[in-house]
Amino acid sequence: MTTRTSPRAPHGLLGPAPARCLVLCLVSTAATGAGLLLPTTLGRTLDLLLAQAPATRWVLYCAALVLLIALLDAAETVLGGTVDARTTAWLRRRLTGHVLAVGPRATARFGPGDLVARLVGNAAQAGTAPTARAALLAALAGPVGAVVALGLVSPWLAAVYLAGAPVLALLLRAFARDTRECVTRYQEVQGRIAQALSEAVGGHRTIRAAGTEDRETARILRPLPELSAAGHRMWQVQGRASGQSVAVAPLLQLAVVAVAGVLLARHRVTVGEVLAASRYAVLATGVGVLVGQLAGLARARAAAGRLDEVLAQSPLGHGERRLPPGPGRLELRGVTAVRGTRAVLDGVDLVVPGGTTLAVVGRSGAGKSLLAAVAGRLAEPDAGEVLLDGVPLRELTHDELRRAIAYAFERPALLGGTVEEEIGLTLGSPSPARVREAARTAHADDFVRRLPDGYDTLVADAPRSGGESQRLGLARAFAHGGRLLILDDALSSLDTVTEARIAEALVNGGAGGTRLLVAHRTATAARADAVAWLDGGRVRAVGPHEELWRAAEYRAVFGSGPDGADSGDGGPS
């Protein structure tokens, strides 16, 4: 069996355009190299002028270097912005695709708000990593090149600088370590705030109805003191590093200039070389530039680490098999699914003969929705296996699996296209006739035709009730076709008349294939060929609704008392 996974984005990744990153590094390094040539050129020019020798050519060299540095800086800015944008877009595409491939486990692990924070904010910060590396490389090349240049002027000057260099190196190392820690903390708190905000937005009606806006605002903003402390800590670390470097760097510069002065007095160096040495001393002790570049790289690496946490979640693997001809027989063998520390499904054995309708009923928390997810491999069981026409679902190719199984949910996701596009979402090239036939089966055609532009109406502009949204989701599932149709509480918002008509169409084969229905109403269960009664994660019984109805505990699943009176739709008909 082969496995399709989304590759992780390790910290060392150059991004989607390594050639651009390489060019950016070369341009940055070239700009640094031109900056290193300038002091020597200026020094040589000064010596010639003091000696009243012809210096026109060296003046032109100086002007050319200044122009070259300006052009390289401009090119570096344009390339840096382009690489940042492309890398950020690439990271967002990879992360989005990976989250969709992982499925519900991703939101269960991180929460939708935190995922959005990582996708938007952290991806943008991580996207600056290639530029930050190029800038850091250039910033490191400056001091190294300056030390070499000092050595060429006089070995004594390089020795003076190198005597104090270990102190600067220790300062930079401590700064990089402390910055990474506080930046990571800052980003984690941002994610918690985003998650709390996402939860509040999702439950805004409940919050308004309860009048708890102020309480929710306080809950969302509760981590602000931690965020503030982490932010202040970042500035303190950077400020301390800058202050320490400001204290050490001038001493090294003065030492280099003092030794250069002594060498000048002894006629060991020229005035121009003293000028060059003073400039190289500044470049060699340019810790302030390194501090800024290290801070940017630390932020990018911390953000990349948060993206890596998401990318470390493995998506479902797929095999290479295809389905043989068959009626769509579904079989669950010893399926166990654990959520947290609880086995929501515990050794479930279940067979749905091809072409039949099975209703799954049970109390809240019995595992109905998880069983529906496992049956179509939206979730992976922790033990056991699921087969369709004798083939384990995990051995099917991704495309074969999704062609064979259609889903409809309690709250269908309508993603913003036209009504026709939403109904034909799962089809490569949906025909209008197929879309309209599916809408008629789902009893959605009438209300769709009343919309301003009919099937061409944008979903965002289509006023609709919860039941009408469910009918569009059902129409999408009917248009998809396939061997197995799974309805996860997809009839719950329909009125009883519409539900009865759709359930009748399902039972009579109007949707084709095998049907698995999560049901909460007795009328739906009564129309199915058989009912699977889930209780405590196990299949307590399978049989016709009329037979199961004789048990008081089964009637209680639908809110019925021992006398068989149902609080909803009445007893079996």
Side-chain angles (χ1 to χ4, degrees), residues 106-127:
T107 52
R109 167 68 174 80
F110 300 102
D114 190 22
L115 281 176
V116 170
R118 294 172 193 248
L119 179 65
V120 177
N122 295 148
Q125 290 176 322

Side-chain angles (χ1 to χ4, degrees), residues 475-501:
R476 177 192 293 165
F478 296 158
H480 178 282
R483 304 190 187 195
L484 176 62
L485 172 62
I486 300 176
L487 273 60
D488 184 4
D489 203 16
L491 307 176
S492 59
S493 295
L494 303 180
D495 60 85
T496 54
V497 174
T498 302
E499 180 186 11
R501 290 173 178 171

Side-chain angles (χ1 to χ4, degrees), residues 133-522:
R133 290 190 187 95
L136 183 60
L137 177 63
L140 287 170
V144 172
V147 173
V148 173
L150 283 174
L152 293 175
V153 173
S154 171
W156 288 104
L157 300 179
V160 170
Y161 172 80
L162 291 174
V167 177
L168 294 177
L170 290 174
L171 291 178
L172 290 174
R173 181 181 178 184
F175 169 73
R177 182 189 64 248
D178 295 343
T179 298
R180 177 68 187 276
E181 292 175 357
C182 55
V183 167
T184 300
R185 179 61 178 166
Y186 188 86
Q187 292 174 351
E188 288 175 352
V189 178
Q190 279 184 318
R192 285 165 49 197
I193 293 175
Q195 174 61 21
L197 179 60
S198 173
E199 293 168 352
V201 170
H204 68 96
R205 289 186 297 179
T206 300
I207 293 170
R208 291 192 64 184
T212 57
E213 292 91 340
D214 293 341
R215 186 188 309 168
E216 282 302 305
T217 300
R219 183 181 71 87
I220 294 168
L221 300 180
R222 189 173 297 136
L224 273 183
E226 293 181 62
L227 189 71
S228 176
H232 280 88
R233 172 64 176 161
M234 283 193 296
W235 287 112
Q236 288 170 358
V237 169
Q238 187 162 347
R240 184 178 64 221
S242 298
Q244 291 170 340
S245 65
V246 166
V248 175
L251 295 177
L252 284 176
Q253 294 169 15
L254 288 173
V256 170
V257 172
V259 173
V262 171
L263 294 174
L264 176 64
R266 296 182 179 181
H267 305 288
R268 302 276 295 275
V269 296
T270 66
V271 174
E273 287 175 332
V274 172
L275 172 65
S278 65
R279 179 57 189 162
Y280 286 132
V282 172
L283 292 175
T285 55
V287 180
V289 176
L290 285 173
V291 165
Q293 301 302 339
L294 280 172
L297 186 58
R299 287 191 292 270
R301 288 178 61 85
R306 284 173 57 78
L307 300 187
D308 279 343
E309 290 177 357
V310 179
L311 295 171
Q313 302 296 309
S314 300
L316 296 178
H318 296 278
E320 298 179 348
R321 294 184 62 180
R322 296 188 177 276
L323 287 170
R329 183 177 188 269
L330 177 67
E331 184 177 0
L332 281 72
R333 296 178 179 172
V335 168
T336 296
V338 179
R339 294 297 179 266
T341 58
R342 184 171 74 95
V344 181
L345 298 177
D346 188 6
V348 171
D349 293 306
L350 189 63
V351 175
V352 186
T356 65
T357 300
L358 177 74
V360 180
V361 305
R363 294 182 179 275
S364 177
K368 302 183 296 297
S369 289
L370 184 54
L371 185 144
V374 168
R377 207 167 181 240
L378 292 184
E380 190 83 333
D382 294 282
E385 62 181 356
V386 183
L387 300 91
L388 185 61
D389 284 327
V391 180
L393 296 187
R394 58 185 171 80
E395 296 182 8
L396 295 175
T397 67
H398 175 271
D399 292 342
E400 184 77 356
L401 175 67
R402 290 300 148 222
R403 276 195 300 266
I405 302 174
Y407 266 96
F409 301 99
E410 178 184 8
R411 297 178 180 176
L414 302 174
L415 305 176
T418 66
V419 171
E420 183 168 338
E421 290 170 344
E422 289 299 313
I423 293 176
L425 181 67
T426 59
L427 305 175
S429 54
S431 67
R434 184 169 180 175
V435 167
R436 283 155 179 75
E437 178 61 29
R440 284 191 289 272
T441 304
H443 292 270
D445 183 70
D446 288 343
F447 90 80
V448 170
R449 290 184 182 277
R450 292 195 298 268
L451 295 173
D453 297 313
Y455 283 87
D456 293 326
T457 305
L458 291 173
V459 169
D461 299 333
R464 61 193 183 277
S465 65
E468 289 168 340
S469 293
Q470 276 198 344
R471 278 185 268 172
L472 291 178
L474 287 164
R476 177 192 293 165
F478 296 158
H480 178 282
R483 304 190 187 195
L484 176 62
L485 172 62
I486 300 176
L487 273 60
D488 184 4
D489 203 16
L491 307 176
S492 59
S493 295
L494 303 180
D495 60 85
T496 54
V497 174
T498 302
E499 180 186 11
R501 290 173 178 171
I502 294 177
E504 190 67 29
L506 288 170
V507 173
N508 292 333
T514 305
R515 283 82 60 190
L516 179 70
L517 284 67
V518 173
H520 291 276
R521 294 178 178 174
T522 55

